[in-house]
Amino acid sequence: MFKYFTSTTLEAWCPGSGGGEAIANILTGKVDPSGHLPITFPRSVKQLPRPTINGVKGGAPAKTVDYNIEGANVGYRWYQKHYLKPLFAFGYGLSYTTFNQGEPQVSKHGNVVKVRLKISNTGHVVGADVAQIYVQVPGDSVRRLAGFKKVDLKPGQSKDVSVTLNPRLLADFDTAHDRWTIKAGTYRIYAGVSNMDVGSPVRVTLSEHHLSP
């Protein structure tokens, strides 16, 4: 079983008192690893928006952080905006089994968007996959995570997964009117296994809509 980790990193965050047993269960194959990264691992500090932080001396934390460099494109969106290929992308994860995600089907009721797709376990052990739905709003080149759902599957099993997208994650904040605004236009919907690994987009047209802050 250890051959799976010859070129892979096993990360155990805040494992607690049962951490040793949990890691042993993964290493021996008793449990299939199914976690996906909630952050991005850069290839080097040169990929970061701030390789060094001004005003930080001797490890002291900065009192003020100004996001004038990143703007709204913080975290995984920074790498995509600047065409940077990180070491491990946001949403990335591995398993002892393999999965296949079908083509997403998009429906809407008003400005509420629902994405359906079939996920199949094409391997030989029980595992869990995560359907990650990303959206590219009109006028923006960056995909943003708008919904996800985890599904457990036996070998050879398939399940239909439905993900309702949070309308606020399709919107941008209008500071002049103190509200969130969903722009009118065509939105591109992607299903994938990480922010950097998605399929072909499905398009849906939405009308302008305002949400309270």
Side-chain angles (χ1 to χ4, degrees):
M1 299 300 293
F2 291 95
K3 66 180 179 180
Y4 291 98
F5 292 94
T6 55
S7 60
T8 304
T9 299
L10 173 62
E11 185 82 15
W13 291 351
C14 305
S17 59
E21 181 179 357
I23 294 172
N25 286 339
I26 291 174
L27 291 176
T28 58
K30 184 177 180 180
V31 173
D32 180 61
S34 59
H36 290 259
L37 286 178
I39 62 172
T40 304
F41 282 42
R43 290 187 177 274
S44 72
V45 295
K46 293 181 180 179
Q47 290 189 331
L48 299 174
R50 293 176 178 79
T52 59
I53 300 177
N54 295 332
V56 176
K57 297 180 180 180
K63 294 182 179 179
T64 302
V65 178
D66 191 339
Y67 289 92
N68 61 326
I69 296 177
E70 305 96 318
N73 293 313
V74 297
Y76 68 89
R77 291 166 61 171
W78 165 265
Y79 297 87
Q80 190 183 150
K81 180 71 174 180
H82 296 276
Y83 304 98
L84 299 171
K85 186 177 180 180
L87 183 63
F88 296 115
F90 174 87
Y92 177 81
L94 291 177
S95 170
Y96 288 143
T97 189
T98 55
F99 301 96
N100 179 68
Q101 291 189 1
E103 293 296 324
Q105 304 294 321
V106 178
S107 61
K108 66 173 183 175
H109 181 70
N111 276 317
V112 177
V113 178
K114 182 174 290 186
V115 181
R116 294 183 175 87
L117 70 158
K118 179 178 288 186
I119 299 181
S120 304
N121 183 342
T122 56
H124 303 288
V125 298
V126 175
D129 194 24
V130 178
Q132 302 174 39
I133 308 301
Y134 294 90
V135 175
Q136 187 175 338
V137 305
D140 194 355
S141 61
V142 176
R143 296 182 298 271
R144 60 181 71 172
L145 181 68
F148 61 92
K149 191 169 185 179
K150 189 174 184 177
V151 58
D152 296 300
L153 295 166
K154 298 177 182 179
Q157 184 181 18
S158 298
K159 288 184 180 180
D160 291 321
V161 177
S162 178
V163 182
T164 300
L165 307 187
N166 186 337
R168 196 176 298 277
L169 297 178
L170 307 179
D172 292 313
F173 193 71
D174 182 354
T175 56
H177 299 92
D178 193 29
R179 64 189 181 187
W180 293 90
T181 297
I182 295 177
K183 300 176 183 178
T186 301
Y187 289 68
R188 296 184 180 186
I189 312 294
Y190 300 82
V193 295
S194 78
N195 175 251
M196 295 290 184
D197 189 0
V198 298
S200 299
V202 177
R203 292 169 174 80
V204 62
T205 301
L206 301 178
S207 58
E208 184 173 304
H209 184 64
H210 304 292
L211 306 170
S212 59

